[in-house]
Amino acid sequence: MLGIAQDAGFPSPGCQRECCRNAWLDGRPTHYPASLAIEDGAGMRWLIDCTPSFPQQLALLDKVLPRVAGQQALEGIFLSHAHIGHYTGLMYLGREAIGSRALPVHVMPRMAHFLRANGPWSQLVEIGNIELVEISAGSRIELADGLWIEPMPVLHRAEYSETVAYRVCTKQSSLLFLPDIDRWEGLEPSLEELVRQNDYLLLDATFYSDDELPGRDMAEIPHPTVLDSLERLSALPKKLRARVNFFHFNHTNPLLDPDSDPSRKVLGQGYGRVAEGSVFNLPA
Ligand SMILES: [Zn+2]
Ligand SMILES: [Zn+2]
């Protein structure tokens, strides 16, 4: 796990409210935007989403799962959508920084068009820093023997691209990475079914409740609140609830603080909590 915050990270730019003020002043632990690394057990590594904190997250990955000698930093990247926290780290692959060569970047068709058609991303494609690999709903991309990934389209405000969640699978287990969705209604399979189908779930928890952003129109940035998700999952047995890990926290979300009352409530109901550096093991 390389990041549990919403796109802007924590603390949030310019925020002088209580949530962020002290964190800016005393440099307390920061949280990176949502991103996950996949490692095949033999040193090959992939990223899901490439955030503005990509440099720090790559260093964190090297610390948690040290790079195998002779192995490249990454075999490829999978992108969920074109909101700032999910793809702008690609800038570090260009000439000014890493200067990668033909690094496979797996994207849905609209996202591929967006990157090809707009600078500075188009330059990464033109000079061959990245190689776009188009994926489609229902496809299965083999990463290594017995390890694959599947994109799953979800409804999310789509100014520039479609949005997908990703399911990382082995023959025995799976993990669902779902950082952004407008609402659970209409999702196929349903949220409850997804919890039954996957061993680990990382779910959109941008906002804890819908009174978090006074002065902002929450309808412009729709997300299911954590309170809504808890309600929806309330009939699940506690054993299954442990599969669910909330993440993609906005800076205003009290779940960022593990000691807050809402955090105690969520953990008390049996849900999991992850942090940067957490590792999920998927038995082969
Ligand atoms: Zn996001
Ligand atoms: Zn804040």
Side-chain angles (χ1 to χ4, degrees):
M1 186 83 230
L2 299 180
I4 62 168
Q6 173 264 11
D7 297 46
F10 176 86
S12 192
C15 181
Q16 297 199 316
R17 291 167 56 177
E18 206 179 329
C19 50
C20 297
R21 194 175 48 224
N22 291 332
W24 279 126
L25 285 178
D26 64 16
R28 258 188 308 163
T30 55
H31 293 287
Y32 305 132
S35 176
L36 183 78
I38 306 166
E39 201 256 356
D40 72 340
M44 292 211 292
R45 315 186 302 188
W46 296 262
L47 271 195
I48 303 183
D49 280 345
C50 192
T51 89
S53 298
F54 172 70
Q56 293 83 352
Q57 289 172 306
L58 191 55
L60 173 62
L61 176 58
D62 283 335
K63 197 169 126 192
V64 176
L65 298 171
R67 205 177 298 185
V68 173
Q71 200 80 48
Q72 46 191 359
L74 293 171
E75 305 296 320
I77 296 175
F78 291 81
L79 298 179
S80 64
H81 66 301
H83 286 159
I84 65 160
H86 300 270
Y87 80 99
T88 57
L90 292 180
M91 65 187 172
Y92 293 108
L93 300 173
R95 275 185 176 141
E96 300 89 337
I98 293 173
S100 61
R101 295 179 63 177
L103 182 70
V105 175
H106 302 261
V107 285
M108 294 289 282
R110 244 189 102 197
M111 183 77 195
H113 177 262
F114 170 76
L115 294 172
R116 270 193 208 105
N118 294 284
W121 323 111
S122 52
Q123 180 177 286
L124 300 174
V125 179
E126 278 154 23
I127 67 177
N129 297 126
I130 64 174
E131 192 171 287
L132 296 179
V133 182
E134 279 193 38
I135 57 176
S136 55
S139 61
R140 162 177 165 156
I141 301 102
E142 304 291 330
L143 302 178
D145 194 24
L147 176 67
W148 69 95
I149 186 167
E150 301 169 350
M152 181 185 127
V154 298
L155 184 68
H156 183 48
R157 58 194 172 82
E159 302 91 337
Y160 298 114
S161 74
E162 62 283 85
T163 298
V164 287
Y166 282 105
R167 191 163 177 240
V168 182
C169 307
T170 64
K171 288 192 189 90
Q172 304 246 17
S173 60
S174 64
L175 175 150
L176 182 71
F177 176 92
L178 195 166
D180 277 283
I181 190 168
D182 288 356
R183 63 189 78 91
W184 297 126
E185 288 82 12
L187 181 65
E188 275 291 331
S190 70
L191 177 61
E192 297 81 346
E193 284 164 332
L194 286 172
V195 176
R196 293 182 189 278
Q197 289 169 3
N198 294 283
D199 305 279
Y200 303 103
L201 298 96
L202 296 162
L203 297 184
D204 181 345
T206 309
F207 302 115
Y208 182 73
S209 58
D210 47 23
D211 55 4
E212 248 169 86
L213 289 184
R216 286 277 295 269
D217 182 359
M218 301 283 278
E220 287 177 354
I221 38 173
H223 290 274
T225 64
V226 173
L227 289 176
D228 175 35
S229 304
L230 293 182
E231 174 78 41
R232 201 165 267 275
L233 295 173
S234 59
L236 274 186
K238 238 182 171 179
K239 205 176 108 212
L240 290 184
R241 286 187 203 166
R243 299 176 170 192
V244 173
N245 299 277
F246 293 110
F247 83 138
H248 193 269
F249 301 126
N250 195 57
H251 62 113
T252 51
N253 189 323
L255 296 187
L256 273 169
D257 173 3
D259 295 323
S260 68
D261 287 343
S263 284
R264 288 206 189 90
K265 171 178 163 157
V266 168
L267 292 177
Q269 291 188 13
Y271 297 96
R273 182 188 169 82
V274 285
E276 282 86 359
S278 296
V279 176
F280 304 92
N281 284 305
L282 276 64

